Amino acid sequence: MMTISPIAHFHSPLTSKFGIPRQSGIADNLRGSIVFTLEYRNPDMLRGLEGFDYIWIIWCFSENVSAEKHPTVRPPRLGGNMRQGVLATRSPFRPNNLGLSSVRIAAINLDTAQGPVIEVIGADLMDGTPIYDIKPYLPEFDCHEHARAGFVTTNEWKPLDVKFTDKADTSVFTPTDIKTIKQLLSQDPRPHYHSSAERIYGMTYKRHDIRFRVTGNAVEVTEIVPSNP
């Protein structure tokens, strides 16, 4: 049996599971950073990584470690109505709680107060996620053109339209933040067994609660307020 421990942790403006992108790369404005643990703060480990545009991150679904696991799950892409084998999906409720994501490198800072830090874009990890390993993405071997993608190919996903009401104070965010929030909400972060048009949901982003409701194919942001500490 192998025992592994984190080499780094992820830092993100998303501090809860609600609102996390369902796949890496969906929110291509979402920025985050990889901060190494004390044992692995050696810049030599990153030597040559500046020559790559993307990396693979192997990480832990740390919020689901104690959750009950099942052999089948209900993918959101199928509306939450059809079951598939867990190994035929990217469900977070996995036998060993391991996640795999391909993210774009935005910058590599070797000399910071926290040691070397990798800034990335498009990750589907929440704040504080443990990272077990990092590997370079190699287009020659990792990209398979014309590969089949099962139910993902046959069930098209249509993003929702996102609008802000007058009560939603967007001035607390930068234009890039607003683009990111729209990307996240357009993927409909609600559990798919929820369908009430009147229910108000909340997504935490940069210590603010983004409150919204979904009607038909549209998301309406009703309010933006500081989240509770």
Side-chain angles (χ1 to χ4, degrees), residues 78-92:
L78 297 177
N81 300 317
M82 296 176 58
R83 285 194 172 274
Q84 298 282 294
V86 65
L87 299 183
T89 75
R90 295 190 175 184
S91 167

Side-chain angles (χ1 to χ4, degrees), residues 13 164 168-181 203-211 221 223-227:
F164 294 82
D169 181 14
T170 59
S171 66
V172 297
F173 295 122
T174 67
T176 298
D177 286 330
I178 295 298
K179 288 181 180 179
T180 302
I181 291 168
M203 180 185 77
T204 303
Y205 182 89
K206 286 191 174 180
R207 297 184 297 279
H208 283 79
D209 193 22
I210 314 298
R211 297 177 181 172
V221 178
E223 199 173 13
I224 299 174
V225 297
S227 58

